[in-house]
Amino acid sequence: MKTGIALISSLTLATSILVSGCGSSKTATSESGNTAAKTHTIKIANYFAENHPQNVALREKFKPLVEKNSNGTLKVEIYENSKLGAEKEFYDGVRNGTIEMGIPGMIMQADIPKMAIPELPFLFKDYKHAKTVLSGPLGKELTAEMEAKHGVRVLAWSANGFRMVSSNKSITNLEDFKGFRLRMPNIPNYIALGKSWGANVTPMPISEVFAALEQKVVDGQENPIATLRASGWYEVQKHVLESRHMFSPNVYIVNNKFWQKLTPEQQKAVEEASKAAADYEWELLEKNEATDKKFLEEKGLKFHTPDDNFKKQMQSAAQPIYEEFYKKNPSTKELIEKIKAEAK
């Protein structure tokens, strides 16, 4: 009797091991043949509209490259248009690991002052200047504290573009900003810049901008024209001031604890795909600027290019922002001067 029970127990154990082995479909052998690569789904969040170059690059470059070069062990899900929350919410989600990746702007600058530098007013001359700085050693210096302080790894710099002011009235001089209700992100540099021009600044998330413009809660907003087009704000605006007052970058970030779970091959696939997608997005954004302007003009928007006097007025009004920034962060002055020196 005991022999029979022992035999049954042995068969049960063997069957259990066999079933267990067949059920481990979430592993795959890495290229090295030494490590089993678990399969993962990467949620990547951003606040851009579906047809913005950021999401075009994610769909056409990042997702297919990651899935192909990881041999199917990584799957990518794109959550555009603040579907996983506004910028602060999805950034916090990447920090705490509920979201694997994201493409925020400089939302982290409150804790990491160097990350405020790229959005100082009138810092970058053109796209070439911005990309040279951010994609090189100076860009790495800017992001050096991200992993230690916020638990996220920066994989690539991408671009939002040069910001311009859209409005329901023409703005042709500094006086026109007086009493103007201007939506801006809830970021100190932005708010200080709007106030320096004399505007009444109203901070709000990007997801609320269309309704605020439509209901005339605000008179205008400032963003690159790719965002103006992709978000449909041209339906409730009449004018664009080509101020190009600030360059807005974005960063591809990944939760560091999630990153450490990946095999070296998987990490390589994600990092290379991030850089390829970011490069493609830079290309699309710059190339499409003229196309976007033409589209908006066809929709009835009137563009106003500030003359030299107006430009100098805007720049002079913004200078105290630099002085205040240096007071709070004296060690950044040398880095900012290096960035300015890269303009050619």
Side-chain angles (χ1 to χ4, degrees):
M1 184 68 177
K2 290 182 179 179
T3 305
I5 292 173
L7 180 60
I8 292 171
S9 298
S10 298
L11 288 171
T12 302
L13 178 61
T15 303
S16 174
I17 293 171
L18 180 61
V19 170
S20 175
C22 292
S24 59
S25 58
K26 292 188 176 181
T27 63
T29 305
S30 68
E31 288 179 9
S32 63
N34 298 323
T35 308
K38 292 183 179 179
T39 62
H40 300 277
T41 297
I42 299 175
K43 298 187 295 292
I44 182 164
N46 66 82
Y47 52 75
F48 293 98
E50 184 178 356
N51 292 324
H52 188 280
Q54 290 282 11
N55 284 305
V56 174
L58 286 176
R59 289 194 302 270
E60 295 185 7
K61 294 290 184 180
F62 182 78
K63 178 179 170 67
L65 284 174
V66 167
E67 294 180 348
K68 176 184 175 183
N69 293 336
S70 68
N71 295 315
T73 62
L74 298 177
K75 302 296 181 184
V76 175
E77 294 178 356
I78 301 166
Y79 292 87
E80 73 285 344
N81 212 17
S82 301
K83 286 180 178 176
L84 295 184
E87 183 178 17
K88 185 182 186 308
E89 283 72 35
F90 78 70
Y91 181 70
D92 288 345
V94 178
R95 287 186 67 185
N96 64 37
T98 58
I99 302 171
E100 288 75 23
M101 288 187 66
I103 308 179
M106 304 295 97
I107 190 72
M108 68 296 293
Q109 62 183 262
D111 297 332
I112 305 173
K114 282 184 180 179
M115 293 298 282
I117 291 174
E119 290 187 319
L120 286 169
F122 303 104
L123 178 63
F124 289 112
K125 176 184 176 183
D126 49 30
Y127 280 101
K128 181 181 178 182
H129 181 202
K131 194 168 192 289
T132 298
V133 167
L134 297 175
S135 299
L138 294 176
K140 289 182 179 179
E141 188 172 346
L142 291 170
T143 62
E145 298 174 297
M146 288 282 285
E147 190 172 331
K149 286 191 174 182
H150 279 193
V152 299
R153 177 183 291 261
V154 175
L155 299 177
W157 286 88
S158 65
N160 191 353
F162 284 93
R163 302 179 81 93
M164 308 179 194
V165 178
S166 73
S167 57
N168 56 17
K169 70 169 189 177
S170 64
I171 298 174
T172 57
N173 57 67
L174 214 56
E175 291 293 314
D176 290 332
F177 277 111
K178 287 187 177 179
F180 185 81
R181 295 169 299 175
L182 178 63
R183 178 272 168 183
M184 298 186 103
N186 192 17
I187 297 174
N189 281 354
Y190 285 81
I191 295 170
L193 179 61
K195 288 181 176 179
S196 77
W197 292 343
N200 293 336
V201 178
T202 303
M204 68 175 66
I206 197 169
S207 56
E208 298 175 14
V209 173
F210 188 96
L213 294 170
E214 185 178 38
Q215 297 167 16
K216 303 191 186 308
V217 174
V218 293
D219 301 312
Q221 64 79 45
E222 51 76 58
N223 258 291
I225 59 173
T227 305
L228 177 60
R229 175 180 180 175
S231 299
W233 299 334
Y234 56 84
E235 296 176 11
V236 286
Q237 296 280 264
K238 296 178 181 178
H239 301 271
V240 177
L241 172 65
E242 295 183 275
S243 51
R244 303 179 78 85
H245 54 272
M246 186 185 291
F247 181 82
S248 283
N250 293 90
V251 280
Y252 278 62
I253 59 169
V254 60
N255 175 273
N256 195 49
K257 288 182 179 178
F258 171 74
W259 181 256
Q260 299 304 328
K261 294 178 183 178
L262 303 181
T263 65
E265 291 86 2
Q266 289 175 323
Q267 289 177 349
K268 181 181 178 182
V270 173
E271 187 165 23
E272 289 183 350
S274 296
K275 289 176 180 176
D279 283 343
Y280 183 49
E281 195 273 338
W282 278 93
E283 179 186 333
L284 286 175
L285 196 72
E286 184 175 9
K287 184 174 69 176
N288 289 351
E289 197 168 270
T291 305
D292 290 337
K293 180 176 179 178
K294 183 179 179 182
F295 173 89
L296 294 170
E297 286 176 329
E298 289 172 351
K299 292 296 181 180
L301 270 68
K302 295 181 180 179
F303 280 74
H304 306 274
T305 303
D307 58 26
D308 289 341
N309 184 53
F310 188 12
K311 284 180 184 176
K312 288 177 182 177
Q313 286 180 335
M314 288 189 289
Q315 291 171 352
S316 295
Q319 189 56 38
I321 295 172
Y322 278 89
E323 294 166 6
E324 184 65 22
F325 192 78
Y326 292 148
K327 282 182 185 178
K328 292 180 180 178
N329 309 285
S331 64
T332 63
K333 189 168 184 178
E334 183 180 354
L335 177 56
I336 291 169
E337 292 304 317
K338 287 180 182 179
I339 290 172
K340 289 180 178 179
E342 288 288 336
K344 296 174 183 177

mmCIF file of all heavy atoms in Angstrom, residues 299-323:
data_model
loop_
_atom_site.group_PDB
_atom_site.id
_atom_site.type_symbol
_atom_site.label_atom_id
_atom_site.label_comp_id
_atom_site.label_asym_id
_atom_site.label_seq_id
_atom_site.Cartn_x
_atom_site.Cartn_y
_atom_site.Cartn_z
ATOM 1 N N LYS A 299 -6.189 78.026 -41.859
ATOM 2 C CA LYS A 299 -7.309 77.967 -40.912
ATOM 3 C C LYS A 299 -7.704 79.353 -40.403
ATOM 4 O O LYS A 299 -8.608 79.475 -39.579
ATOM 5 C CB LYS A 299 -6.949 77.071 -39.724
ATOM 6 C CG LYS A 299 -6.804 75.593 -40.073
ATOM 7 C CD LYS A 299 -8.123 74.992 -40.553
ATOM 8 C CE LYS A 299 -7.978 73.515 -40.879
ATOM 9 N NZ LYS A 299 -9.254 72.913 -41.340
ATOM 10 N N GLY A 300 -7.020 80.378 -40.922
ATOM 11 C CA GLY A 300 -7.406 81.744 -40.589
ATOM 12 C C GLY A 300 -6.542 82.449 -39.562
ATOM 13 O O GLY A 300 -6.806 83.613 -39.234
ATOM 14 N N LEU A 301 -5.513 81.790 -39.038
ATOM 15 C CA LEU A 301 -4.658 82.442 -38.050
ATOM 16 C C LEU A 301 -3.692 83.406 -38.738
ATOM 17 O O LEU A 301 -3.154 83.107 -39.801
ATOM 18 C CB LEU A 301 -3.875 81.419 -37.224
ATOM 19 C CG LEU A 301 -4.566 80.933 -35.940
ATOM 20 C CD1 LEU A 301 -5.785 80.092 -36.287
ATOM 21 C CD2 LEU A 301 -3.611 80.150 -35.063
ATOM 22 N N LYS A 302 -3.481 84.561 -38.106
ATOM 23 C CA LYS A 302 -2.556 85.557 -38.623
ATOM 24 C C LYS A 302 -1.279 85.537 -37.786
ATOM 25 O O LYS A 302 -1.337 85.624 -36.561
ATOM 26 C CB LYS A 302 -3.189 86.945 -38.581
ATOM 27 C CG LYS A 302 -4.394 87.084 -39.514
ATOM 28 C CD LYS A 302 -4.981 88.492 -39.455
ATOM 29 C CE LYS A 302 -6.178 88.601 -40.375
ATOM 30 N NZ LYS A 302 -6.796 89.963 -40.312
ATOM 31 N N PHE A 303 -0.146 85.416 -38.468
ATOM 32 C CA PHE A 303 1.144 85.371 -37.793
ATOM 33 C C PHE A 303 1.776 86.761 -37.761
ATOM 34 O O PHE A 303 1.720 87.502 -38.743
ATOM 35 C CB PHE A 303 2.084 84.388 -38.490
ATOM 36 C CG PHE A 303 1.835 82.954 -38.117
ATOM 37 C CD1 PHE A 303 0.729 82.267 -38.604
ATOM 38 C CD2 PHE A 303 2.698 82.284 -37.263
ATOM 39 C CE1 PHE A 303 0.482 80.953 -38.251
ATOM 40 C CE2 PHE A 303 2.468 80.963 -36.907
ATOM 41 C CZ PHE A 303 1.349 80.295 -37.405
ATOM 42 N N HIS A 304 2.380 87.103 -36.630
ATOM 43 C CA HIS A 304 3.023 88.394 -36.449
ATOM 44 C C HIS A 304 4.471 88.163 -36.015
ATOM 45 O O HIS A 304 4.719 87.537 -34.977
ATOM 46 C CB HIS A 304 2.294 89.220 -35.392
ATOM 47 C CG HIS A 304 0.828 89.371 -35.655
ATOM 48 N ND1 HIS A 304 0.302 90.361 -36.466
ATOM 49 C CD2 HIS A 304 -0.234 88.644 -35.213
ATOM 50 C CE1 HIS A 304 -1.010 90.239 -36.504
ATOM 51 N NE2 HIS A 304 -1.367 89.197 -35.761
ATOM 52 N N THR A 305 5.414 88.644 -36.814
ATOM 53 C CA THR A 305 6.831 88.522 -36.476
ATOM 54 C C THR A 305 7.269 89.786 -35.751
ATOM 55 O O THR A 305 7.132 90.884 -36.311
ATOM 56 C CB THR A 305 7.687 88.325 -37.736
ATOM 57 O OG1 THR A 305 7.221 87.172 -38.444
ATOM 58 C CG2 THR A 305 9.156 88.154 -37.375
ATOM 59 N N PRO A 306 7.761 89.683 -34.526
ATOM 60 C CA PRO A 306 8.160 90.898 -33.798
ATOM 61 C C PRO A 306 9.350 91.580 -34.456
ATOM 62 O O PRO A 306 10.270 90.912 -34.929
ATOM 63 C CB PRO A 306 8.520 90.367 -32.405
ATOM 64 C CG PRO A 306 8.857 88.924 -32.611
ATOM 65 C CD PRO A 306 7.994 88.456 -33.741
ATOM 66 N N ASP A 307 9.315 92.913 -34.506
ATOM 67 C CA ASP A 307 10.456 93.638 -35.060
ATOM 68 C C ASP A 307 11.591 93.649 -34.029
ATOM 69 O O ASP A 307 11.447 93.175 -32.896
ATOM 70 C CB ASP A 307 10.058 95.060 -35.472
ATOM 71 C CG ASP A 307 9.490 95.888 -34.324
ATOM 72 O OD1 ASP A 307 9.826 95.605 -33.147
ATOM 73 O OD2 ASP A 307 8.712 96.823 -34.597
ATOM 74 N N ASP A 308 12.732 94.179 -34.421
ATOM 75 C CA ASP A 308 13.912 94.142 -33.550
ATOM 76 C C ASP A 308 13.663 94.840 -32.219
ATOM 77 O O ASP A 308 14.124 94.375 -31.162
ATOM 78 C CB ASP A 308 15.110 94.788 -34.256
ATOM 79 C CG ASP A 308 15.639 93.931 -35.399
ATOM 80 O OD1 ASP A 308 15.328 92.712 -35.409
ATOM 81 O OD2 ASP A 308 16.345 94.455 -36.274
ATOM 82 N N ASN A 309 12.930 95.941 -32.247
ATOM 83 C CA ASN A 309 12.658 96.686 -31.024
ATOM 84 C C ASN A 309 11.806 95.866 -30.059
ATOM 85 O O ASN A 309 12.093 95.810 -28.855
ATOM 86 C CB ASN A 309 11.954 97.999 -31.357
ATOM 87 C CG ASN A 309 11.727 98.852 -30.119
ATOM 88 O OD1 ASN A 309 12.658 99.137 -29.365
ATOM 89 N ND2 ASN A 309 10.482 99.258 -29.905
ATOM 90 N N PHE A 310 10.779 95.209 -30.589
ATOM 91 C CA PHE A 310 9.903 94.384 -29.757
ATOM 92 C C PHE A 310 10.683 93.204 -29.183
ATOM 93 O O PHE A 310 10.543 92.841 -28.009
ATOM 94 C CB PHE A 310 8.706 93.927 -30.582
ATOM 95 C CG PHE A 310 7.622 93.229 -29.806
ATOM 96 C CD1 PHE A 310 7.590 93.242 -28.421
ATOM 97 C CD2 PHE A 310 6.597 92.555 -30.469
ATOM 98 C CE1 PHE A 310 6.581 92.604 -27.703
ATOM 99 C CE2 PHE A 310 5.576 91.912 -29.772
ATOM 100 C CZ PHE A 310 5.586 91.938 -28.380
ATOM 101 N N LYS A 311 11.542 92.591 -29.984
ATOM 102 C CA LYS A 311 12.366 91.474 -29.516
ATOM 103 C C LYS A 311 13.251 91.907 -28.343
ATOM 104 O O LYS A 311 13.354 91.215 -27.326
ATOM 105 C CB LYS A 311 13.251 90.946 -30.647
ATOM 106 C CG LYS A 311 12.547 90.094 -31.681
ATOM 107 C CD LYS A 311 13.542 89.637 -32.729
ATOM 108 C CE LYS A 311 12.866 88.859 -33.844
ATOM 109 N NZ LYS A 311 13.845 88.494 -34.907
ATOM 110 N N LYS A 312 13.894 93.066 -28.507
ATOM 111 C CA LYS A 312 14.771 93.567 -27.452
ATOM 112 C C LYS A 312 13.985 93.864 -26.185
ATOM 113 O O LYS A 312 14.463 93.634 -25.068
ATOM 114 C CB LYS A 312 15.507 94.813 -27.934
ATOM 115 C CG LYS A 312 16.589 94.517 -28.965
ATOM 116 C CD LYS A 312 17.243 95.800 -29.469
ATOM 117 C CE LYS A 312 18.293 95.495 -30.541
ATOM 118 N NZ LYS A 312 18.893 96.747 -31.097
ATOM 119 N N GLN A 313 12.766 94.379 -26.337
ATOM 120 C CA GLN A 313 11.920 94.655 -25.174
ATOM 121 C C GLN A 313 11.601 93.359 -24.415
ATOM 122 O O GLN A 313 11.681 93.319 -23.178
ATOM 123 C CB GLN A 313 10.615 95.326 -25.621
ATOM 124 C CG GLN A 313 10.757 96.769 -26.033
ATOM 125 C CD GLN A 313 9.418 97.360 -26.456
ATOM 126 O OE1 GLN A 313 8.503 96.653 -26.877
ATOM 127 N NE2 GLN A 313 9.302 98.673 -26.357
ATOM 128 N N MET A 314 11.237 92.324 -25.155
ATOM 129 C CA MET A 314 10.919 91.046 -24.520
ATOM 130 C C MET A 314 12.143 90.452 -23.829
ATOM 131 O O MET A 314 12.060 89.924 -22.715
ATOM 132 C CB MET A 314 10.347 90.062 -25.554
ATOM 133 C CG MET A 314 8.935 90.385 -26.013
ATOM 134 S SD MET A 314 8.180 89.082 -27.019
ATOM 135 C CE MET A 314 9.129 89.249 -28.536
ATOM 136 N N GLN A 315 13.290 90.539 -24.497
ATOM 137 C CA GLN A 315 14.527 89.988 -23.926
ATOM 138 C C GLN A 315 14.974 90.769 -22.693
ATOM 139 O O GLN A 315 15.389 90.181 -21.688
ATOM 140 C CB GLN A 315 15.626 89.985 -24.995
ATOM 141 C CG GLN A 315 15.380 88.987 -26.108
ATOM 142 C CD GLN A 315 16.346 89.143 -27.268
ATOM 143 O OE1 GLN A 315 17.121 90.093 -27.315
ATOM 144 N NE2 GLN A 315 16.294 88.228 -28.219
ATOM 145 N N SER A 316 14.873 92.086 -22.742
ATOM 146 C CA SER A 316 15.262 92.927 -21.605
ATOM 147 C C SER A 316 14.363 92.672 -20.403
ATOM 148 O O SER A 316 14.828 92.597 -19.260
ATOM 149 C CB SER A 316 15.205 94.411 -21.990
ATOM 150 O OG SER A 316 16.155 94.706 -22.981
ATOM 151 N N ALA A 317 13.071 92.519 -20.674
ATOM 152 C CA ALA A 317 12.123 92.256 -19.590
ATOM 153 C C ALA A 317 12.421 90.924 -18.911
ATOM 154 O O ALA A 317 12.180 90.755 -17.713
ATOM 155 C CB ALA A 317 10.693 92.267 -20.139
ATOM 156 N N ALA A 318 12.973 89.982 -19.678
ATOM 157 C CA ALA A 318 13.249 88.637 -19.157
ATOM 158 C C ALA A 318 14.589 88.531 -18.430
ATOM 159 O O ALA A 318 14.825 87.544 -17.726
ATOM 160 C CB ALA A 318 13.213 87.626 -20.301
ATOM 161 N N GLN A 319 15.466 89.513 -18.573
ATOM 162 C CA GLN A 319 16.808 89.411 -17.996
ATOM 163 C C GLN A 319 16.823 89.186 -16.483
ATOM 164 O O GLN A 319 17.656 88.415 -15.981
ATOM 165 C CB GLN A 319 17.609 90.674 -18.344
ATOM 166 C CG GLN A 319 19.080 90.588 -17.981
ATOM 167 C CD GLN A 319 19.794 89.382 -18.615
ATOM 168 O OE1 GLN A 319 19.518 89.027 -19.769
ATOM 169 N NE2 GLN A 319 20.686 88.752 -17.875
ATOM 170 N N PRO A 320 15.917 89.802 -15.709
ATOM 171 C CA PRO A 320 15.929 89.529 -14.262
ATOM 172 C C PRO A 320 15.714 88.062 -13.904
ATOM 173 O O PRO A 320 16.102 87.632 -12.810
ATOM 174 C CB PRO A 320 14.761 90.392 -13.748
ATOM 175 C CG PRO A 320 14.665 91.515 -14.730
ATOM 176 C CD PRO A 320 14.992 90.900 -16.051
ATOM 177 N N ILE A 321 15.124 87.289 -14.808
ATOM 178 C CA ILE A 321 14.932 85.852 -14.555
ATOM 179 C C ILE A 321 16.296 85.170 -14.442
ATOM 180 O O ILE A 321 16.508 84.303 -13.580
ATOM 181 C CB ILE A 321 14.079 85.215 -15.670
ATOM 182 C CG1 ILE A 321 12.666 85.816 -15.643
ATOM 183 C CG2 ILE A 321 14.018 83.694 -15.523
ATOM 184 C CD1 ILE A 321 11.799 85.409 -16.813
ATOM 185 N N TYR A 322 17.239 85.561 -15.298
ATOM 186 C CA TYR A 322 18.596 85.016 -15.223
ATOM 187 C C TYR A 322 19.265 85.429 -13.918
ATOM 188 O O TYR A 322 19.908 84.618 -13.241
ATOM 189 C CB TYR A 322 19.431 85.510 -16.409
ATOM 190 C CG TYR A 322 19.223 84.724 -17.683
ATOM 191 C CD1 TYR A 322 18.227 85.072 -18.588
ATOM 192 C CD2 TYR A 322 20.018 83.622 -17.983
ATOM 193 C CE1 TYR A 322 18.038 84.362 -19.756
ATOM 194 C CE2 TYR A 322 19.851 82.901 -19.151
ATOM 195 C CZ TYR A 322 18.850 83.275 -20.033
ATOM 196 O OH TYR A 322 18.653 82.550 -21.190
ATOM 197 N N GLU A 323 19.128 86.700 -13.582
ATOM 198 C CA GLU A 323 19.781 87.209 -12.374
ATOM 199 C C GLU A 323 19.264 86.489 -11.129
ATOM 200 O O GLU A 323 20.047 86.122 -10.240
ATOM 201 C CB GLU A 323 19.528 88.717 -12.269
ATOM 202 C CG GLU A 323 20.208 89.503 -13.385
ATOM 203 C CD GLU A 323 19.708 90.927 -13.503
ATOM 204 O OE1 GLU A 323 18.909 91.351 -12.640
ATOM 205 O OE2 GLU A 323 20.114 91.622 -14.458
#
